[in-house]
Amino acid sequence: MSDTILTAENLTRHYSVKGGLMRPDATVRALDGASFSLRPGSTLAVVGESGCGKSTLARVVTMIEPATSGRLTIGGKEIGPNGAKGDRDLRAMVQIVFQDPYGSLNPRQTIGQTLMEPLLLNRPEIGKADREKRAREMLLMVGLRNEHFDRYPHMFSGGQRQRVAVARALMLDPKILVLDEPVSALDLSIQSQILNLLVDLQERLDLAYLFISHDLSVVSHFADELMVMYLGRPVETGPLKDVYAHPRHPYTRALFSATPVADPRRKRNRIKLEGELPSPMAVPPGCPFNPRCWKATDECRQSFPEYTGGRHSYACFHPLAKDELPRAETQA
Amino acid sequence: MALLEIRNLSVEFETVSGAFRAVDGIDISVDRGDLMAIVGESGSGKSVSMLAVMGLLPWTATITADRMEFNGHDLRTLSGRARRKIIGRDLSMIFQEPMSSLNPCFTVGYQIRETLRLHTSLDRKARQTRAIELMEQVGIPAPEKRLSAFPHQMSGGMSQRAMIAMALACEPKLLIADEPTTALDVTIQAQILELLTDLQDRTGMALILITHDMGVVAETVKRVAVQYAGQKVEEQQVEALFDDPHHPYTAALLSALPERSQDRFLPTIPGVVPGQFDRPQGCLFSPRCQFADARCRAVQPQKASAELGYALCHYPLLHGEPQGKEASA
């Protein structure tokens, strides 16, 4: 598509872990072949449990770390092994908001300083007065007030701090915003304020969001596209509505059914997954989900399935039929 | 008689900048086999009130209550020695962070057997058998092997199961679970919640679940108490609470749930939970409440009737409409 702003093909990030006396060297396949694209004004949500590679994906996309292999194209430029080093325009293009608004703001900088720093570093040609003017405008944009400019982070609540973090990310006029669990550290009544802010900013600035979360209820409200990951691999990707209406991958189905829904009358038919998440250092061969899957066969234990289906793609040898009743469910 | 009976419990902390009231006049009553939840945001006093019951608060806390009884014991006057006899045996608690609540220096087996050694007359061999039995009960595979594992060798879900096994060792009459699944992934959360309700069902113990997750509440418990800024603002059966919340705070909280919203913009609650220095005069929720008037801001509300969910509000809602407003206006 012509209007994509970011394309990732087969993005991979491996870490090598030095062995010890009794332990051989090992490779952690934190991210193992992710392909997706981002378009202005729309949101791709990445969901999965811990160790599924969500945060590694965020680090690779923000060019904090280079990919081990695969292609990443942002705004028409292919990202080389040096990442965004020496290319400030590229750096300005992708910005990130972190999960913990208490840890991600410098306690010794005023809000004003925090907001002006990205300009100071990346746009040194902008004068002091102009820099301050832009920072003050940004404060208003994220729903804070002018008098907050000279205050320090400890004087703010979690929700306000997260607004500051969003404002800082927007200072360089990015096209892509990576949101790494932006509301999971916030209380429910504050969470909705921040989500509304993000929706509003997206509409006004035509931003592309990469929204990383483990909370499906937030995602289902917010996203246009959904990518479900398991142990470093996307297992199912597609338009949110399609994936919700008909999850094809057993893991997606299990994840949906395990997510609590705030409706006491809803008939519960949880799929009870056996076992634990394997360690990313010892990913099972074949499809990584096979030890916990109720449909697994020998085929699943030997090779990773190809991605099939067009826009709604999934990697499974035994995709679920619509309204198929899984064995695990009938047992429970 | 109720298993746990608390009337007008308040907890104040001595801080450098004066006294801070974390829990403000809370009533809780739990029967045998009860399954209830206490929900609230951070700072609502839900954990502190339960820690007060357990006697686990630091010396800076002052606990006052008109009544605080568990299973016939008056918890206000109980000596430390007598309290330790009850805690771990009839009354036990599991905490949010399984990783930091287990002692890293001892094996899981040692820690489970320790409970049994202190509270039962079982001999060494019987304790080991019981520990294996407990590990099986909470769904840990290969329990004999796992008993000799140290906490750092187990995953979060496993550690939480071990914590639960420890809490259940003496078949408590009441189990308090403080955010038992917040640190865990959803598929593991589903396993743990199922395990807790299953055990509650089988052994007939009472369970108090402390949480902030409305989804967990809806799927797990029968009765819900909602707390806000240290006060209990509403208590109802779970279906009734979700159908027709009587306190404006509960109503606002439920409508802010992303999955209940049809619109792209969510309904929000303006402002933040009051802290130590900005506690309002009248109703604590009045600065954020869409129905508040002058009376709400000046006069502290009284509890409403049981039909209105004991809502701590001047104008409790009925089907979304505030009641009694015209009469006073």
Side-chain angles (χ1 to χ4, degrees), chain A residues 98-130:
Chain A
F98 294 101
Q99 172 173 7
D100 178 15
Y102 292 85
S104 61
L105 297 177
N106 186 341
R108 300 177 59 166
Q109 278 185 336
T110 63
I111 301 309
Q113 285 171 328
T114 302
L115 293 187
M116 289 190 296
E117 198 174 8
L119 290 180
L120 199 66
L121 295 173
N122 290 288
R123 300 271 185 272
E125 69 277 5
I126 295 177
K128 191 162 180 282
D130 203 23

Side-chain angles (χ1 to χ4, degrees), chain A residues 217-293:
Chain A
S217 62
V218 170
V219 162
S220 62
H221 168 73
F222 198 76
D224 302 300
E225 309 242 337
L226 185 67
M227 178 154 94
V228 182
M229 290 184 69
Y230 189 76
L231 284 176
R233 283 187 190 263
V235 293
E236 183 157 0
T237 316
L240 180 82
K241 284 198 182 71
D242 298 357
V243 179
Y244 255 83
H246 183 189
R248 305 300 302 263
H249 198 283
Y251 177 65
T252 313
R253 179 77 178 262
L255 197 62
F256 286 168
S257 83
T259 304
V261 175
D263 178 3
R265 289 213 171 76
R266 192 182 75 120
K267 218 179 123 250
R268 239 183 307 164
N269 40 6
R270 240 182 233 153
I271 300 173
K272 223 169 146 186
L273 283 183
E274 298 296 319
E276 305 274 316
L277 271 168
S279 146
M281 285 178 70
V283 177
C287 170
F289 187 56
N290 78 65
R292 298 174 80 191
C293 185

Side-chain angles (χ1 to χ4, degrees), chain A residues 97-107 111 114-115 142 144 152-168 182 186 190 194 197, chain B residues 272:
Chain A
V97 176
F98 294 101
Q99 172 173 7
D100 178 15
Y102 292 85
S104 61
L105 297 177
N106 186 341
I111 301 309
T114 302
L115 293 187
V142 297
L144 293 170
Y152 286 90
H154 74 264
M155 302 156 100
F156 291 91
S157 65
Q160 285 175 316
R161 283 180 215 219
Q162 202 59 304
R163 285 175 194 268
V164 174
V166 172
R168 175 178 59 185
L186 305 176
I190 308 300
I194 298 295
L197 172 72
Chain B
V272 292

Side-chain angles (χ1 to χ4, degrees), chain A residues 49-50 187 189 193 196 202-203 217 221 255 260-266 268 270 272-273 275-276 292, chain B residues 41-42 155 185-187 189 191 194 215 218-219 239 242-243 257-259 263-266 268-269 288:
Chain A
E49 299 178 281
S50 44
D187 274 321
S189 71
Q193 294 174 10
N196 282 352
Q202 181 169 49
E203 279 173 10
S217 62
H221 168 73
L255 197 62
V261 175
D263 178 3
R265 289 213 171 76
R266 192 182 75 120
R268 239 183 307 164
R270 240 182 233 153
K272 223 169 146 186
L273 283 183
E276 305 274 316
R292 298 174 80 191
Chain B
E41 300 178 276
S42 45
S155 67
D185 284 313
V186 280
T187 54
Q189 165 171 296
Q191 292 174 357
E194 207 125 302
E219 296 206 345
E239 287 94 359
F242 279 83
D243 287 348
L257 288 172
E259 67 234 55
D263 200 17
R264 196 148 159 76
F265 285 97
L266 297 166
T268 61
I269 310 176
R288 306 176 74 189

